[in-house]
C-alpha cells in the first residue's frame, strides 16, 4: 500500500494566533502529528445558534498517519477553546514518498 494511503491532512480553526499555535505545538509534542502549520487571519462565515456569524480565525493544518486520526481528534477536542471545534480530515492521495514516510515515523513512539 502506498504511504499516501496511510496519511491524512487535518484542518481546524481557532479564534486567535496564540490559540492556534498552542494547538499546533500540542499535537506535535504529543506525537499525534508530524507537523502543523498556522496561517491567517482568515474570515469564517457560518451559522451558529441560528445566526450567521463572521469571525476572524486562524487555520491549523496538521499532517498525521491515518491510524493516529482518532487520537488526534480526541486530543484536539480536549485542548481546543471551542465547544464544537472543526476537525476535518482528508486522505492524502499522493506526494513525496520520503516526506510521507517521515510523517508516519514522527507519529510513532511515546507521548511527550
Amino acid at each position: 500500500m502506498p504511504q499516501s494511503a496511510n496519511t491524512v491532512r487535518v484542518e481546524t480553526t481557532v479564534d486567535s494566533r496564540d490559540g492556534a499555535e498552542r494547538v499546533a505545538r500540542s499535537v506535535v509534542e504529543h506525537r499525534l502529528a508530524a507537523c502543523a502549520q498556522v496561517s491567517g487571519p482568515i474570515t469564517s462565515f457560518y451559522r451558529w445558534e441560528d445566526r450567521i456569524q463572521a469571525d476572524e480565525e486562524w487555520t491549523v493544518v496538521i499532517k498525521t498517519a491515518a491510524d493516529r486520526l482518532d487520537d488526534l481528534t480526541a486530543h484536539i477536542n480536549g485542548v481546543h477553546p471551542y465547544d464544537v471545534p472543526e476537525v476535518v480530515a482528508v486522505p492524502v492521495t499522493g506526494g513525496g514518498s520520503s516526506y510521507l514516510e517521515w510523517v508516519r515515523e514522527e507519529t510513532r513512539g511515546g507521548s511527550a
Side-chain angles (χ1 to χ4, degrees):
M1 177 179 288
Q3 289 300 322
S4 60
N6 297 323
T7 309
V8 293
R9 183 176 185 259
V10 178
E11 187 172 301
T12 191
T13 54
V14 182
D15 61 355
S16 71
R17 181 184 183 120
D18 287 343
E21 289 177 357
R22 279 193 296 277
V23 170
R25 182 175 298 280
S26 183
V27 298
V28 173
E29 284 177 348
H30 287 86
R31 289 194 167 268
L32 297 168
C35 63
Q37 290 89 30
V38 172
S39 62
I42 60 169
T43 303
S44 294
F45 293 85
Y46 57 97
R47 184 180 307 276
W48 183 253
E49 296 178 346
D50 209 27
R51 293 182 46 214
I52 301 297
Q53 307 287 331
D55 292 313
E56 182 175 280
E57 294 186 300
W58 295 79
T59 302
V60 184
V61 175
I62 303 161
K63 272 72 80 186
T64 192
D67 64 353
R68 298 293 279 157
L69 181 57
D70 289 343
D71 290 337
L72 173 65
T73 301
H75 184 82
I76 291 171
N77 284 325
V79 301
H80 203 286
Y82 291 179
D83 292 338
V84 182
E86 169 192 12
V87 180
V88 177
V90 178
V92 174
T93 60
S97 60
S98 295
Y99 176 80
L100 297 172
E101 181 59 29
W102 173 79
V103 168
R104 221 175 130 59
E105 288 173 6
E106 286 299 309
T107 59
R108 303 296 158 221
S111 295

